[in-house]
Amino acid sequence: LNHRVLEFTPAFQGSLFQQAFDRALQGEPQVLSRYFEPHDRYYAVRYLPHPSGVMAIFEDITEAKKTEAVAQEMILAVSGSSDFIATFDTSLQVRFVNRAGLRLLGREQATGLELSQLYPEWARRDVRTGVAHLEQDTHFTVETALLRLNGEELPVSQVFQRVYDEDGRTIGYCTIARDITEIRRREAYLRESAGRFRRAIAQAPIR
């Protein structure tokens, strides 16, 4: 009490924090959230005019800012991916599908659908069984097919992973799938070519 804030935080001298403090001294409440380079920290500060001066409430929000930055990086990565990326909850209800995933599905929206609605009938049991096994394993990979809105099947290689909280409890799942249509097409071509070659050898006259 009875001390200026700058006596305790001389590094604030001339900073935006001091400017906000000075405005609060004139009777204007101030809220400020900034990176403070001398401390290498992020602070959220509220300056509230008070009969005896200014009441200052400081909060170190560095960790929250780091988490926010990581989240933004992940959002950019997911948005820019050409793969199908989705999350779903423990009741297997879809919570999120990225733009590329929606294009692959031929849908404008998929949030709220049951996970099984994204797969043809023959693939649903394998996917459900695999997700159930995630309680013991951290992830599983499967070659399956997504079901497009028009009824077409899209062959994919897909990875499922469990999402859990800090206590290890499952709170949902995430998945990424890659279109393997071209790979399947090449495999079919190679099989067909090998079959033609075998038939040609079998039919060739023996001399």
Side-chain angles (χ1 to χ4, degrees), residues 10-58:
F12 282 2
Q13 184 75 44
S15 70
L16 290 175
F17 293 97
Q18 182 197 346
Q19 295 172 26
F21 177 81
D22 291 341
R23 286 194 292 271
L25 281 175
Q26 304 303 315
E28 300 177 28
Q30 301 291 310
V31 178
L32 187 66
S33 177
R34 288 288 189 278
Y35 171 71
F36 190 59
E37 187 174 359
H39 294 176
D40 190 26
R41 310 295 292 177
Y42 285 91
Y43 294 114
V45 185
R46 283 189 296 168
Y47 293 121
L48 304 175
H50 188 272
S52 61
V54 173
M55 180 171 65
I57 303 173
F58 283 75

Side-chain angles (χ1 to χ4, degrees), residues 38-100:
H39 294 176
D40 190 26
R41 310 295 292 177
Y42 285 91
Y43 294 114
V45 185
R46 283 189 296 168
Y47 293 121
L48 304 175
H50 188 272
S52 61
V54 173
M55 180 171 65
I57 303 173
F58 283 75
E59 181 182 3
D60 187 334
I61 59 171
T62 303
E63 293 306 314
K65 283 290 186 181
K66 289 180 179 179
T67 300
E68 180 182 317
V70 171
Q72 288 297 323
E73 290 175 2
M74 291 180 64
I75 290 171
L76 290 174
V78 168
S79 299
S81 175
S82 60
D83 293 328
F84 170 95
I85 299 175
T87 62
F88 51 101
D89 61 24
T90 55
S91 64
L92 304 189
Q93 187 175 62
V94 177
R95 291 302 183 190
F96 167 80
V97 177
N98 68 335
R99 288 197 297 267

